[in-house]
Amino acid sequence: RKEVEQDPGPFNVPEGATVAFNCTYSNSASQSFFWYRQDCRKEPKLLMSVYSSGNEDGRFTAQLNRASQYISLLIRDSKLSDSATYLCVLQTDSWGKLQFGAGTQVVVTP
Amino acid sequence: GAVVSQHPSRVICKSGTSVKIECRSLDFQATTMFWYRQFPKQSLMLMATSNEGSKATYEQGVEKDKFLINHASLTLSTLTVTSAHPEDSSFYICSARGTIGALNTEAFFGQGTRLTVV
């Protein structure tokens, strides 16, 4: 079993619609959780951190469920510019070592 | 936000030659650098972690004699792929974490280097 699992997609989403997807992880000692965005052939960029209480940043909402070991991302009112691969990322030690999922591809269509 | 500059962005080399990739933190002190490799449609895989002035810690399955990492200063780390082979062709990305003033930073990524070995 992979340590970080994501549905690779693609999730084809009409512009303006809502899309949500999860990521499951196996390391219960993971300390911090993030969603990164990666555009084709580019470096990952931090989208948002994920907290147990759930957090929102504009149209993006992230949730963490430690008991079930998954995190989720919801994108409301999708824009064409939201098309990207969304990486589920865990920090597994205090040095900042990150573990990446393979990503979920989102394609927003006009 | 803080900037990490990685160079070159793209390199093509002949099999058997060595390639050096540089990663610089431009406006913060990078106490820890991470080197990742990403094959198409796969996740970033951590290759090694280096702290300034120390030897790098390599992940299981990564050959330290093949992937030489140097982190001699707080703003520069290098990865040298020695005796490159076509199977080393990949997207290599560095990530740096450190301090700005008294605050610890998140991990910032370089732009990545696409290596093609022919």
Side-chain angles (χ1 to χ4, degrees):
Chain A
R1 184 188 168 189
K2 290 181 187 174
E3 299 204 36
V4 183
E5 291 211 54
Q6 292 186 253
D7 183 335
F11 285 66
N12 294 298
V13 186
E15 197 174 4
T18 296
V19 61
F21 42 89
N22 291 343
C23 160
T24 57
Y25 61 94
S26 59
N27 185 349
S28 58
S30 299
Q31 300 180 359
S32 303
F33 304 85
F34 309 91
W35 284 105
Y36 276 71
R37 169 194 172 125
Q38 186 175 27
D39 293 293
C40 189
R41 295 175 172 259
K42 297 284 181 69
E43 76 278 16
K45 293 189 176 171
L46 179 64
L47 180 66
M48 59 196 301
S49 302
V50 188
Y51 304 114
S52 297
S53 53
N55 50 300
E56 205 172 290
D57 183 357
R59 298 179 293 107
F60 298 85
T61 302
Q63 291 273 358
L64 164 63
N65 186 317
R66 281 192 185 270
S68 301
Q69 294 187 200
Y70 74 87
I71 68 172
S72 64
L73 181 66
L74 182 146
I75 308 173
R76 283 189 304 278
D77 187 22
S78 299
K79 312 288 183 195
L80 295 176
S81 57
D82 294 334
S83 297
T85 297
Y86 291 85
L87 306 176
C88 171
V89 182
L90 283 56
Q91 181 174 324
T92 55
D93 68 14
S94 56
W95 289 105
K97 186 172 166 179
L98 301 178
Q99 197 151 38
F100 286 80
T104 295
Q105 187 183 6
V106 171
V107 179
V108 182
T109 55
Chain B
V3 176
V4 174
S5 176
Q6 185 173 342
H7 178 80
S9 58
R10 187 182 297 268
V11 59
I12 300 173
C13 71
K14 289 186 177 179
S15 190
T17 60
S18 294
V19 173
K20 181 186 278 190
I21 302 169
E22 290 189 350
C23 184
R24 291 180 187 275
S25 59
L26 299 185
D27 49 4
F28 68 103
Q29 296 187 321
T31 49
T32 306
M33 290 271 199
F34 305 91
W35 285 96
Y36 296 86
R37 179 168 54 181
Q38 185 179 33
F39 292 106
K41 296 197 182 292
Q42 293 187 25
S43 59
L44 275 73
M45 297 299 297
L46 181 64
M47 300 175 67
T49 303
S50 73
N51 293 299
E52 184 263 339
S54 308
K55 285 186 179 179
T57 301
Y58 289 80
E59 295 300 302
Q60 194 171 18
V62 179
E63 300 173 58
K64 61 179 181 174
D65 294 329
K66 181 169 179 63
F67 299 99
L68 303 178
I69 290 172
N70 184 286
H71 189 176
S73 80
L74 283 171
T75 58
L76 175 64
S77 177
T78 60
L79 167 67
T80 301
V81 183
T82 62
S83 187
H85 291 287
E87 57 266 28
D88 297 325
S89 298
S90 186
F91 191 49
Y92 292 85
I93 308 178
C94 68
S95 172
R97 197 165 193 243
T99 56
I100 296 178
L103 299 175
N104 291 323
T105 71
E106 65 186 69
F108 296 100
F109 286 85
Q111 300 90 336
T113 297
R114 191 159 301 280
L115 170 64
T116 303
V117 185
V118 297

